[in-house]
Amino acid sequence: MIQQIYPSVQHPFQYELNKDMQFAAAHSIPSEEAGHCARVHGHTYFANVTIAGDELDSSGFLVNFAAIKKLIHNRFDHTYLNDHQDVFDNNDPNRFPTTEVVARTIYEIVQAYLDETSNKATCVQVFLRETPTSYCIYRPKKVVTHD
């Protein structure tokens, strides 16, 4: 995997963990304004998920790297994103599988998982590269601390 430097996000936490992963997936953007992207096409997405927190779990992890990979890679790799109707909606422009929405969706999936953990870590950033020259960063508006 290519080493990258990601834009960093300021946060108040002691620990920061970054998980890189890639997944191959196809999608289409169901809008005339999408031009060629309205047709089914594929990408090898490269994602970096940044998780932060103050407390480690009973294994000494902020979060297990394997758990994050399982949540994203295992779910989306070699799939047609538009078929994931639980997270994408071909009738709602706010839920089309654009790079922006896929990045936000990765955040939502990861944060939902973290909310169920004992140490309540926080996903502070998702960096999603769709092509070698195009990427998106999603950051939640507020970083919620779990004091």
Side-chain angles (χ1 to χ4, degrees):
M1 186 164 300
I2 298 172
Q3 287 203 335
Q4 306 234 0
I5 297 174
Y6 308 103
S8 62
V9 58
Q10 294 296 316
H11 59 75
F13 300 107
Q14 295 176 330
Y15 296 100
E16 177 179 307
L17 172 148
N18 283 272
K19 175 61 180 161
D20 290 339
M21 68 196 96
Q22 62 184 39
F23 58 94
H27 71 149
S28 60
I29 309 304
S31 169
E32 288 181 29
E33 296 162 0
H36 293 304
C37 293
R39 296 186 227 161
V40 175
H41 61 285
H43 302 283
T44 299
Y45 290 92
F46 178 84
N48 171 272
V49 177
T50 304
I51 297 168
D54 290 325
E55 302 293 325
L56 303 181
D57 67 14
S58 61
S59 297
F61 294 136
L62 184 60
V63 64
N64 189 318
F65 288 118
I68 300 305
K69 181 178 180 181
K70 198 178 291 185
L71 287 170
I72 305 307
H73 180 270
N74 290 8
R75 182 173 188 167
F76 294 127
D77 190 45
H78 285 81
T79 66
Y80 178 52
L81 297 178
N82 300 62
D83 285 345
H84 293 270
Q85 295 175 4
D86 58 323
V87 290
F88 303 117
D89 184 343
N90 292 322
N91 298 309
D92 179 357
N94 289 314
R95 299 308 298 181
F96 290 170
T98 62
T99 308
E100 296 87 344
V101 173
V102 175
R104 184 183 72 218
T105 300
I106 290 171
Y107 161 80
E108 292 167 351
I109 291 166
V110 170
Q111 189 58 57
Y113 170 79
L114 295 173
D115 287 344
E116 298 299 317
T117 62
S118 62
N119 59 325
K120 305 288 189 227
T122 301
C123 184
V124 296
Q125 176 174 281
V126 174
F127 173 100
L128 183 65
R129 182 173 294 283
E130 187 178 79
T131 72
T133 60
S134 303
Y135 67 87
C136 175
I137 297 170
Y138 178 82
R139 294 181 185 122
K141 278 194 174 224
K142 279 188 187 177
V143 173
V144 178
T145 59
H146 295 50
D147 295 321

